[in-house]
Amino acid sequence: SLRRFMTLLPSTRKPLSSYHPALYKLSLLRQRFPVWLRWYTTTKKIALTKSATHLPTRITKHQSLLIRKLGTTDLQLQYNKIKNLKLATAAIDGVVVQPGETFSVWRLVGEPTAKKGYVEGLLLSHGEASVGICGGLCQLANLLYWMALHSPLVVTQRYRHSFDAFPDSGRTLPFGSGATLFYNYIDLQLYNPTNQPIQICTWVTDDHLKGMILTTDILKESYSIVERDHQFLTDGNKFYRANKLFCLVSDRMTGAFLREEVVCENFCEMKYVPPEGTVVHPIDPKEVKLRSS
């Protein structure tokens, strides 16, 4: 039976699709087809209209360096990433999310292929760094997600990597505050619950990936993200990283605190050894299994 065949596979528990290219393509089709079907049958309103004219009121802005040290990875992959980001940001730049609409990265960007100009970049898959077409677009997802957390947009679909791949180098945001993408079923989607349009702008400069979120009228609330309970943990064989992120909502005019909202709780395996001098706490393997499930 299939169940017995699966028990005979190596204990590394690699997905069955990794054993042959045809199986991999079949696996992708199996996951992508239901998403394509939903795209054209759902009643959900998707934001697809772009405007070259910026809305007058800025909610938030953010930028991230295009080139930074990522372990021992080939620097050329980061230069390739810039080409990919230019294509993807152009597809998103200026989109207007009307009240009740949902922003979807993949509905705007489409399938990133070599024919469209996408090149090989760094990909993170199954716990390892690899190379693939359109690699590097996760930096765009990180930017969009971080800006969304500082706006009234509601994150309705978001995924993050299940491991921490590289030591901190130039990191300015809390661990676990990013997102990942993989066409088309690993998406980033944002819903506009307000009564006014919200515009998302993204672009690439010589040194930075940049973005801003705009609207028509000044909002009543402002948002800030705080990190708590950050820890490095070990079960003796592996290292893990954990934290919690919260959104603090304040009155934009007076600065008065209004409420606190849980953003996410992060826990994942690290693919590197914590820097020398880092305080590392022991963790029971049973707790690792529980928190990883």
Side-chain angles (χ1 to χ4, degrees):
S1 67
L2 178 60
R3 180 176 296 180
R4 175 166 177 77
F5 172 70
M6 293 296 289
T7 65
L8 298 177
L9 293 178
S11 58
T12 53
R13 295 177 181 266
K14 290 183 178 180
L16 185 62
S17 58
S18 66
Y19 290 91
H20 193 280
L23 292 175
Y24 178 69
K25 291 180 180 180
L26 184 62
S27 174
L28 286 182
L29 182 61
R30 181 180 64 83
Q31 304 215 56
R32 288 174 175 173
F33 181 77
V35 178
W36 285 323
L37 188 62
R38 286 196 298 272
W39 281 1
Y40 299 107
T41 59
T42 184
T43 57
K44 181 190 296 184
K45 297 179 181 179
I46 303 296
L48 298 174
T49 302
K50 296 170 61 178
S51 173
T53 302
H54 288 171
L55 295 181
T57 304
R58 188 176 70 198
I59 299 174
T60 187
K61 66 175 181 177
H62 187 62
Q63 67 178 25
S64 59
L65 277 171
L66 291 169
I67 305 295
R68 68 185 184 93
K69 183 176 175 58
L70 294 176
T72 59
T73 58
D74 185 357
L75 194 61
Q76 183 58 48
L77 294 176
Q78 294 203 56
Y79 288 112
N80 288 357
K81 171 190 68 177
I82 297 174
K83 297 180 182 179
N84 295 335
L85 287 172
K86 286 181 177 179
L87 292 170
T89 54
I92 289 172
D93 188 35
V95 64
V96 178
V97 188
Q98 297 291 346
E101 286 188 340
T102 294
F103 164 89
S104 162
V105 170
W106 290 128
R107 289 300 301 273
L108 290 165
V109 173
E111 184 172 5
T113 63
K115 288 184 179 180
K116 294 180 180 179
Y118 288 92
V119 294
E120 288 190 334
L122 181 67
L123 293 174
L124 301 177
S125 179
H126 305 307
E128 302 295 339
S130 60
V131 176
I133 294 294
C134 87
L137 292 190
C138 289
Q139 185 172 352
L140 175 59
N142 293 342
L143 177 98
L144 292 167
Y145 178 62
W146 182 252
M147 291 197 303
L149 295 180
H150 292 80
S151 80
L153 290 170
V154 176
V155 180
T156 56
Q157 187 175 141
R158 173 252 180 178
Y159 301 85
R160 69 171 304 269
H161 292 294
S162 57
F163 60 94
D164 190 20
F166 304 109
D168 293 351
S169 177
R171 187 199 294 265
T172 59
L173 303 185
F175 159 70
S177 59
T180 186
L181 296 168
F182 192 82
Y183 184 82
N184 58 5
Y185 54 93
I186 298 181
D187 197 4
L188 177 65
Q189 296 189 7
L190 313 170
Y191 174 74
N192 180 3
T194 74
N195 60 1
Q196 58 195 68
I198 294 178
Q199 186 178 36
I200 299 174
C201 301
T202 55
W203 67 98
V204 174
T205 66
D206 289 342
D207 301 312
H208 292 89
L209 168 65
K210 295 195 173 192
M212 60 182 177
I213 295 180
L214 310 168
T215 190
T216 50
D217 301 311
I218 296 176
L219 301 176
K220 295 181 179 179
E221 298 178 340
S222 61
Y223 313 85
S224 62
I225 304 301
V226 297
E227 176 188 46
R228 295 177 187 155
D229 301 329
H230 182 272
Q231 291 182 308
F232 290 99
L233 306 162
T234 182
D235 63 2
N237 297 313
K238 297 180 179 179
F239 293 97
Y240 304 88
R241 196 169 183 176
N243 72 352
K244 297 176 183 178
L245 298 182
F246 298 83
C247 180
L248 306 184
V249 184
S250 303
D251 184 283
R252 185 175 292 273
M253 297 299 294
T254 66
F257 174 77
L258 299 177
R259 63 186 182 277
E260 177 178 291
E261 300 173 350
V262 178
V263 174
C264 60
E265 182 172 352
N266 299 298
F267 178 84
C268 69
E269 181 184 346
M270 299 165 57
K271 293 298 181 177
Y272 58 93
V273 176
E276 186 176 353
T278 301
V279 177
V280 180
H281 303 277
I283 184 172
D284 191 300
K286 293 181 180 179
E287 185 178 350
V288 170
K289 185 176 181 180
L290 179 65
R291 296 180 69 174
S292 299
S293 61

